[in-house]
Amino acid sequence: MKYGRTYNFSAGPAMMPEPVLEEIRDEMLNYRGSGMCVMEMSHRSKVFQQIIDEAEQDLRDLMNIPDNYKVLFIQGGATLQFSMIPMNLMKNGKAVYIETGAWSKKAIAEAKKVGEVIVAASSKDKNYTYIPDCSDLDIPEDTDYVYICENETIHGVTWQKLPNTKGHILVSDQSSMFLSQPCNVSDYGMIYAGVQKNVGPAGMVVVIIREDLIRDDLTDLPIYMQYKTHADAGSMYNTPNCWAIYCCGKVFKYLKSIGGLEEMHRRNIDKAKVFYDFLDSSKMFKGTVEKEFRSLMNIPFVTESKELDAEVVAATKAAGYDNLKGHKSVGGLRASIYNAMPKDGVEALVEFLKKYEAEHK
Ligand SMILES: *Cc1c(COP(=O)(O)O)cnc(C)c1O
């Protein structure tokens, strides 16, 4: 790695593509002759308007977002969406949620403060190590939407096939898989993603929402909590997270330049295979998720004991592989290998773990 950088396996904030960081460095003190850094720039300036417009257009190109969907850049991270979604989308006060791990659980808890939540399927019985069969759920007719977390960052499970919503709109938290593979936007009513997992710096969420779901009858709702506010103001009702928009815009361009989401997906499959093949052949390390539902992004794994887990985490850190400790709610280890993690990083870590295993038999 250049610049003495480390292979950072953090679940988020996480690695960004090196060419993007280099470009940001080069533009840091004087953005393209503007005489200032993007951090110092008025969000009402022409220069910034061009940055946000290009960011939106590049994202639209990457994901083939249909014209009847709005793209919003909102602050408050993905967490604020746990509240904004039920506040804006519950017309009948009822929604179906699928419980597949820590992040869908948090979304359920917040939605319950707003209306009736029906947990139509859950994988809690096996500690969230699989995605339940959602091909024929019991969904009441007056349900406002069906909610999923498409990749559970902490438990490392991912949806291979979207649920059958029986004609209801689908809302998906894509935070930890956003732009990791092609996505058919029109399968969803709304997609959202906190950007610090797979795109850019923390503090912003991208919301892709079908226009007809944006309501103008919610005048009692605090203005900042209404999607309409952000849609009408082009994501600039107040000062947006200019820095994050700028950095994410660069990542969108970078993804286009390498061949778009098909190519990104190919690389992600290739990269994850290196790690999973290792786990499947190891006697010391074991993946915790059922094979069919393994995430390409977040890979939780364990040894036979907590003590050994901790020893391995310490050894990896000393060797220059950072942030491999599992989430406190699950324990063990977790390697997050988002878009920007090079295959070299995964191969190097696997070599290290193989060697560790051989020396500690
Ligand atoms: C990290 C994460 C969140 C929370 O994101 P914040 O931006 O910190 O609010 C929500 N959902 C998923 C799937 C995540 O990985």
Side-chain angles (χ1 to χ4, degrees):
M1 290 278 282
K2 279 194 274 183
Y3 311 112
R5 286 163 56 76
T6 183
Y7 290 122
N8 176 8
F9 291 88
S10 168
M15 291 180 83
M16 286 174 61
E18 216 160 76
V20 167
L21 293 176
E22 286 172 330
E23 252 186 61
I24 292 170
R25 174 198 61 196
D26 293 343
E27 292 174 348
M28 182 66 74
L29 283 119
N30 184 349
Y31 175 78
R32 301 187 184 177
S34 66
M36 55 187 86
C37 173
V38 175
M39 279 189 266
E40 304 170 302
M41 198 175 271
S42 166
H43 59 295
R44 306 288 177 205
S45 64
K46 270 210 185 91
V47 196
F48 187 75
Q49 189 65 50
Q50 193 183 346
I51 292 174
I52 192 171
D53 289 347
E54 273 185 35
E56 174 172 344
Q57 191 54 53
D58 286 330
L59 181 62
R60 286 187 176 276
D61 295 347
L62 264 180
M63 295 181 75
N64 291 314
I65 299 174
D67 288 342
N68 63 326
Y69 284 74
K70 289 277 188 198
V71 172
L72 310 176
F73 301 115
I74 306 178
Q75 299 177 65
T79 299
L80 187 64
Q81 296 310 308
F82 298 164
S83 308
M84 276 181 81
I85 289 163
M87 285 174 160
N88 283 271
L89 301 185
M90 277 190 182
K91 270 190 178 165
N92 301 320
K94 190 183 287 184
V96 163
Y97 278 65
I98 314 298
E99 187 189 46
T100 50
W103 290 110
S104 48
K105 250 170 86 171
K106 282 199 165 169
I108 289 168
E110 289 307 299
K112 279 183 176 167
K113 297 176 184 171
V114 180
E116 186 187 343
V117 171
I118 299 161
V119 178
S122 169
S123 55
K124 194 177 178 181
D125 58 339
K126 290 187 191 160
N127 196 27
Y128 308 114
T129 51
Y130 69 103
I131 298 288
D133 177 9
C134 293
S135 56
D136 188 18
L137 297 172
D138 220 347
I139 301 177
E141 207 39 58
D142 60 348
T143 297
D144 290 311
Y145 59 88
V146 176
Y147 180 102
I148 62 169
C149 173
E150 211 164 324
N151 183 77
E152 288 277 5
T153 322
I154 292 173
H155 289 87
V157 286
T158 206
W159 288 72
Q160 301 299 341
K161 189 171 173 286
L162 295 176
N164 177 359
T165 65
K166 309 210 166 146
H168 295 87
I169 68 155
L170 179 64
V171 175
S172 175
D173 178 356
Q174 291 196 348
S175 295
S176 49
M177 59 170 295
F178 194 53
L179 306 179
S180 67
Q181 61 186 62
C183 168
N184 186 22
V185 174
S186 45
D187 288 343
Y188 306 79
M190 174 178 153
I191 294 167
Y192 73 99
V195 297
Q196 78 277 21
K197 306 290 162 65
N198 216 2
V199 195
M204 192 174 81
V205 66
V206 175
V207 170
I208 301 166
I209 183 170
R210 219 174 63 201
E211 264 168 2
D212 60 291
L213 301 174
I214 299 176
R215 288 162 63 182
D216 47 21
D217 63 334
L218 292 170
T219 41
D220 285 344
L221 206 59
I223 191 140
Y224 208 69
M225 301 297 282
Q226 302 174 31
Y227 289 123
K228 182 175 169 19
T229 304
H230 301 278
D232 288 353
S235 297
M236 289 207 266
Y237 173 73
N238 68 334
T239 322
N241 187 335
C242 301
W243 183 250
I245 292 167
Y246 163 71
C247 297
C248 290
K250 290 215 176 288
V251 175
F252 301 154
K253 280 196 198 302
Y254 171 78
L255 291 172
K256 279 171 84 173
S257 78
I258 66 162
L261 301 186
E262 279 83 13
E263 172 61 15
M264 197 63 251
H265 192 207
R266 192 195 63 72
R267 292 187 193 184
N268 285 329
I269 290 170
D270 192 39
K271 207 163 70 182
K273 186 175 185 308
V274 173
F275 207 88
Y276 284 123
D277 282 352
F278 161 67
L279 287 181
D280 292 340
S281 67
S282 168
K283 294 207 163 53
M284 181 181 272
F285 302 102
K286 172 163 127 275
T288 55
V289 168
E290 286 183 22
K291 279 187 187 173
E292 195 188 332
F293 306 106
R294 284 170 161 179
S295 167
L296 292 179
M297 301 278 106
N298 312 99
I299 309 183
F301 58 106
V302 293
T303 68
E304 62 185 18
S305 73
K306 284 197 172 79
E307 292 69 28
L308 186 54
D309 289 345
E311 278 172 34
V312 177
V313 170
T316 52
K317 187 161 173 63
Y321 308 102
D322 221 343
N323 288 310
L324 280 154
K325 191 169 187 293
H327 190 271
K328 57 184 184 302
S329 65
V330 178
L333 296 92
R334 173 177 50 165
S336 294
I337 54 169
Y338 296 119
N339 285 356
M341 169 62 70
K343 188 178 177 188
D344 288 353
V346 179
E347 284 173 343
L349 175 64
V350 162
E351 279 319 303
F352 179 85
L353 293 174
K354 272 185 184 160
K355 198 159 155 264
Y356 187 95
E357 180 169 348
E359 286 167 2
H360 294 79
K361 257 195 223 147

